[in-house]
């Protein structure tokens, strides 16, 4: 296996201690159960509390809300180690707050932060982000869910779809149109909608992968949401949502090469053990080339993510170029994941098609990584525009 030992200018001994702790949590709490949970399409809610107790849900949040301030390399470690579980679904659910809570932290009132963040960070409550609608997810500026002011409430009507943790969420950070007269980004706001709000109903969705993760369509029918649950300034929510996407995309890129690495490891183990025509598969040049092709894609994606994390951490570089390269990193890493999942299943042969191998699951989970959080087409187009093409 190629050398993946941590680089000291990116990862300190403290990062590595955190990695060890996380690795043993995932090895003891998730890996032994993940096949059964995936088949059952659910996992115990208790896992949030366990993750919360270890401080995994509060990374990057101030201590006053129960969090642990940290640099971006802790987030990279979080993604890399969660990928070792071989399940995108479990990480998507456990970490759904990582896309739902940043708008609250950035722009929520002190009252909301104190009320919501500690309960989510400790794993007592679950948070989801609801942006995508049945009419489209890429074109966020065109969203149709309305929130019309009525005294000290907004009345919310509309639908959101494909929402991770949507069935379980106690708090739903929701993108709404507060000014229906204005088309496009200008009339959009962010509202925190509580899970027990009358008029909110949910429908569970069945999926190609991420079975263990709940994914829902949310229906808002005259939901009355207190105006104090507005996050940031009315009609200025679009920027808040866009800013949120950058960290989500870098995190997804780290996850993607992490999953690719799991496929590589499973394929390499198999190739060493499996004999055909009197020799291990790993002795065949055509198989060795497949493995080498996997390594080069993983390595390229990993190096790009580390370089970007370093630049973000140090505040180096033009912000527009950084956004462009984050988009590119997501594309490159998810392509590496797709390539490696495909080649790993091929190397495993019929076994790669069987439920229970990690490569089989990751193969089913590739497309959501290439679509969710900004699809490949949208990523390339945004990158091109940011680069001034
Ligand atoms: C399992 C899962 C979990 C998800 N979790 C969440 C969540 O928690 N919260 C949330 O808000 N959303 C979530 N999503 C939604 C996800 O972010 C969207 O699916 C994604 O943004 C794409 O939107 P869409 O599916 O509506 O596709 P569309 O926007 O309809 O696009 C369809 C296809 O057309 C392409 N396309 C669109 N516009 C253009 C263009 N201008 N030029 C070229 N090609 C274009 C797209 O790339 C895509 O390939 C989730 C999705 C899945 C599958």
């Amino acid at each position: 296996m190629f050398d993946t030992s941590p680089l000291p200018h990116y990862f300190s001994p403290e990062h590595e201690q955190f990695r060890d702790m996380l690795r043993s949590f995932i090895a003891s709490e998730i890996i032994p159960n993940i096949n059964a949970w995936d088949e059952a399409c659910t996992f115990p809610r208790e896992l949030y509390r366990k993750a919360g107790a270890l401080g995994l849900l509060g990374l990057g949040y101030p201590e006053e809300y129960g969090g642990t301030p940290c640099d971006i390399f802790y987030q990279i470690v979080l993604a890399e180690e969660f990928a070792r579980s071989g399940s995108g679904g479990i990480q998507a659910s456990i970490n759904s707050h990582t896309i739902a809570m940043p708008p609250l932290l950035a722009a929520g009132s002190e009252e909301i932060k104190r009320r919501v963040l500690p309960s989510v960070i400790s794993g007592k409550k679950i948070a989801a982000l609801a942006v995508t609608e049945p009419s489209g997810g890429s074109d966020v500026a065109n969203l149709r869910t309305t929130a019309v002011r009525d005294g000290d409430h907004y009345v919310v009507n509309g639908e959101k779809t494909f929402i991770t943790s949507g069935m379980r969420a106690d708090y739903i950070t929701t993108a709404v149109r507060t000014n229906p007269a204005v088309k496009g980004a200008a009339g959009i706001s962010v509202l925190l909608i509580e899970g027990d709000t009358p008029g909110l109903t949910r429908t569970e969705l069945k999926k190609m992968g991420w079975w263990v993760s709940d994914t829902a369509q949310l229906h808002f029918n005259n939901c009355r949401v207190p105006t104090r649950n507005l996050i940031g300034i009315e009609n200025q929510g679009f920027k808040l949502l866009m800013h949120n996407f950058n960290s989500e995309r870098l995190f997804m890129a780290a996850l993607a090469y992490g999953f690719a690495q799991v496929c590589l490891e499973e394929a390499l183990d198999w190739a060493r053990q499996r004999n055909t025509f009197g020799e291990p598969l790993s002795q065949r040049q055509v198989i060795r080339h497949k493995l080498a092709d996997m390594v080069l894609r993983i390595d390229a994606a990993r190096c790009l993510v580390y370089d970007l994390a370093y630049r973000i951490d140090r505040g180096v570089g033009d912000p527009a170029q950084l956004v462009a390269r984050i988009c590119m990193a997501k594309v490159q890493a998810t392509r590496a994941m797709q390539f490696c999942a495909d080649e790993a299943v091929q190397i495993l042969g019929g076994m790669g098609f069987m439920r229970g191998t990690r490569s089989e699951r990751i193969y089913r989970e590739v497309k959501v990584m290439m679509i969710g959080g900004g699809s490949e087409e949208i990523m390339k187009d945004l990158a091109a525009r940011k680069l001034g093409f």
Side-chain angles (χ1 to χ4, degrees):
M1 185 58 69
F2 64 113
D3 181 14
T4 57
S5 50
L7 299 164
H9 55 289
Y10 295 142
F11 299 101
S12 67
E14 288 75 29
H15 288 111
E16 293 312 316
Q17 269 173 9
F18 173 66
R19 186 189 292 282
D20 290 345
M21 183 270 286
L22 188 50
R23 190 169 292 189
S24 73
F25 171 76
I26 285 163
S28 62
E29 296 290 342
I30 297 180
I31 290 175
N33 300 311
I34 192 61
N35 285 345
W37 290 346
D38 220 25
E39 294 294 335
C41 294
T42 190
F43 64 97
R45 199 176 158 125
E46 180 61 18
L47 194 67
Y48 288 90
R49 281 183 185 264
K50 288 183 179 175
L54 286 179
L56 301 182
L57 307 182
L59 278 191
Y61 291 85
E63 282 172 5
E64 57 189 305
Y65 308 120
T68 314
C70 69
D71 67 17
I72 193 166
F73 283 99
Y74 281 92
Q75 309 284 355
I76 302 291
V77 172
L78 190 75
E80 289 180 344
E81 294 305 317
F82 261 102
R84 293 182 75 85
S85 71
S87 164
I90 197 78
Q91 84 72 30
S93 280
I94 283 284
N95 293 322
S96 59
H97 70 289
T98 63
I99 53 174
M101 292 293 100
L104 266 71
L105 185 63
S109 68
E110 198 51 41
E111 183 273 325
I112 283 203
K113 287 191 225 180
R114 292 203 179 281
R115 178 157 54 92
V116 174
L117 290 177
S119 61
V120 172
I121 287 170
S122 63
K124 289 187 191 112
K125 302 277 186 184
I126 296 172
L129 175 71
V131 177
T132 305
E133 302 190 346
S135 58
S138 304
D139 188 4
V140 174
N142 211 13
L143 64 84
R144 297 176 184 177
T145 297
T146 54
V148 178
R149 216 161 165 154
D150 179 24
D152 56 2
H153 283 77
Y154 290 100
V155 180
V156 179
N157 279 290
E159 281 193 310
K160 297 288 175 183
T161 197
F162 311 149
I163 306 307
T164 301
S165 295
M167 294 304 292
R168 283 176 163 179
D170 303 291
Y171 296 116
I172 305 160
T173 305
T174 311
V176 292
R177 185 167 295 287
T178 31
N179 190 347
V182 176
K183 298 260 179 273
I188 291 174
S189 304
V190 178
L191 275 187
L192 182 75
I193 301 184
E194 319 231 353
D196 58 1
T197 306
L200 166 62
T201 52
R202 317 172 194 223
T203 309
E204 185 149 19
L205 302 173
K206 288 198 177 296
K207 316 180 285 294
M208 175 193 287
W210 282 17
W211 295 343
V212 71
S213 160
D214 87 62
T215 307
Q217 183 139 345
L218 307 177
H219 319 271
F220 301 101
N221 184 10
N222 288 324
C223 289
R224 293 185 70 81
V225 179
T227 49
R228 67 168 186 275
N229 281 20
L230 176 70
I231 307 300
I233 300 169
E234 194 178 75
N235 298 326
Q236 293 187 24
F238 189 75
K239 266 194 188 154
L240 208 52
L241 296 167
M242 290 302 113
H243 185 71
N244 207 26
F245 277 131
N246 288 325
S247 49
E248 179 184 3
R249 287 167 186 162
L250 195 67
F251 191 75
M252 286 182 82
L255 279 167
Y257 70 70
F259 289 125
Q261 172 88 23
V262 170
C263 291
L264 169 66
E265 287 172 10
E266 190 169 56
L268 182 60
D269 279 352
W270 182 266
R272 283 178 173 152
Q273 288 167 29
R274 186 73 164 179
N275 276 288
T276 65
F277 305 97
E279 268 198 290
L281 278 178
S282 58
Q283 295 306 307
R284 309 286 175 189
Q285 191 182 43
V286 70
I287 299 294
R288 282 205 305 268
H289 281 199
K290 284 183 192 295
L291 295 165
D293 279 337
M294 292 162 85
V295 170
L296 72 87
R297 283 167 172 79
I298 295 167
D299 223 11
R302 186 192 338 257
C303 289
L304 176 54
V305 167
Y306 286 0
D307 178 71
L308 286 173
Y310 188 78
R311 286 168 188 274
I312 293 166
D313 191 48
R314 301 291 161 105
V316 180
D318 171 54
Q321 295 238 352
L322 270 181
V323 171
R325 292 186 71 214
I326 290 171
C327 294
M328 298 294 207
K330 180 175 181 281
V331 173
Q332 179 157 353
T334 51
R335 288 225 163 175
M337 178 179 171
Q338 184 182 40
F339 179 87
C340 292
D342 187 43
E343 291 292 38
V345 168
Q346 193 69 23
I347 290 171
L348 266 71
M351 187 54 81
F353 200 67
M354 295 297 121
R355 294 254 272 279
T357 64
R358 288 173 293 164
S359 302
E360 181 268 340
R361 182 188 298 114
I362 292 170
Y363 187 89
R364 284 188 282 103
E365 294 186 343
V366 164
K367 290 313 287 185
V368 65
M369 298 290 283
M370 302 177 93
I371 293 168
S375 66
E376 192 165 308
E377 293 78 3
I378 299 298
M379 291 298 84
K380 285 189 192 169
D381 202 49
L382 177 57
R385 281 185 282 119
K386 291 283 178 191
L387 293 172
F389 296 171

